[in-house]
Amino acid sequence: MKVTILQTDIVWGNPKKNQRDAETLMDENEDSDLYVLPEMFSTGFATEPEGVAEADDCSLKWMQAQSVKRKCAIAGSIAVKEGSRFFNRFYFVFPDGMEIHYDKRHLFSYGGEDVHFTPGNERVVVEYQDFRILLQVCYDLRFPIFSRNHKDYDLAIYVANWPAIRLEAWSTLLKARAIENQCYVIGVNRVGEDSVCNYAGGSEIVGPYGKTIVECESGKVSAATAKLKIRPLRGFRKSFPVLDDADSWPSIRDDDQL
């Protein structure tokens, strides 16, 4: 599966501009099977979403149109208003325009995200091109029990607005999740700044041994592409079956966390 990660500089509250910028990066990196955008790629990270979150599905419709046009999948999160509630919703859109979504479980209370957003209550794995893909958003990266691999996924995707001041933690945790779960990990972060933070990117694709396969240029709008192969991953798991020895405490079951 050919994957391209898109490290964008998000313009606050301007979905059309952010969509055009993403299209430019996709045009410059054609023919991927999957494109991955950052967290809240259409608006910037809005902890106070009223007036910013989308109620008209405009960015989802854009993702669907691009997926059909380019014959690819597109993934990224959007601030969504649904009735009177707000969600940080990670959409995975398939080449036919169909979507599956995950609502961010771990809301960033340090920044007040939990005050206005509703947490998700379901762990979501999608299947695409022989890969089983776990959908995760930003702060989820700090909670390994929730993302524990129960032999049910091969690739974890983390989309983020992760501040530059904590970039070393971002890179370290991406590698840790890959090693402990014997999986590929994709981490896509933004660059630029908003009224609260500076962002330095650090977007990368990590292999199951914890090695960086490709990474975006530090601090700049850029993209990076890698071809992920499922057979070597399966072979690694078979020859070194770490997941067979994973703890089976009730506390690591999904339904005990939600």
Side-chain angles (χ1 to χ4, degrees), residues 236-247:
F236 171 46
R237 289 173 171 174
K238 184 176 181 180
S239 64
F240 188 51
V242 172
L243 298 179
D244 288 350
D245 298 323
D247 295 308

Side-chain angles (χ1 to χ4, degrees), residues 1-3 31-34 70-73 92 94-95 126-133 154-155 184 226-231 234:
M1 179 171 63
K2 185 178 178 182
V3 180
D31 301 322
S32 280
D33 300 306
L34 170 62
R70 299 174 189 273
K71 299 181 174 64
C72 67
F92 190 100
F94 294 87
V126 303
E127 295 187 14
Y128 178 61
Q129 293 211 351
D130 293 329
F131 281 82
R132 300 165 301 166
I133 305 171
D154 311 298
L155 163 65
Y184 291 104
K227 288 188 176 181
L228 306 186
K229 298 180 179 180
I230 192 66
R231 286 185 180 180
R234 290 171 178 165

Side-chain angles (χ1 to χ4, degrees), residues 12 20 25 33 37 44 54 68 71 79 82 89 101 103 113 137 148-149 169 186 191 198 212 243 249-250:
W12 178 258
R20 288 195 298 270
L25 279 177
D33 300 306
L37 288 153
E54 300 181 18
V68 172
K71 299 181 174 64
E82 192 173 86
R89 182 161 289 172
H101 64 262
D103 292 330
E113 186 182 16
V137 180
R148 174 64 65 199
N149 193 345
I186 293 173
V191 294
N198 294 316
T212 298
L243 298 179
W249 303 325

Side-chain angles (χ1 to χ4, degrees), residues 12 28 62 101 123 126 167 225 235 246-248 251:
W12 178 258
E28 294 171 353
W62 172 82
H101 64 262
R123 186 170 181 254
V126 303
L167 196 61
T225 300
D247 295 308
S248 58
S251 61

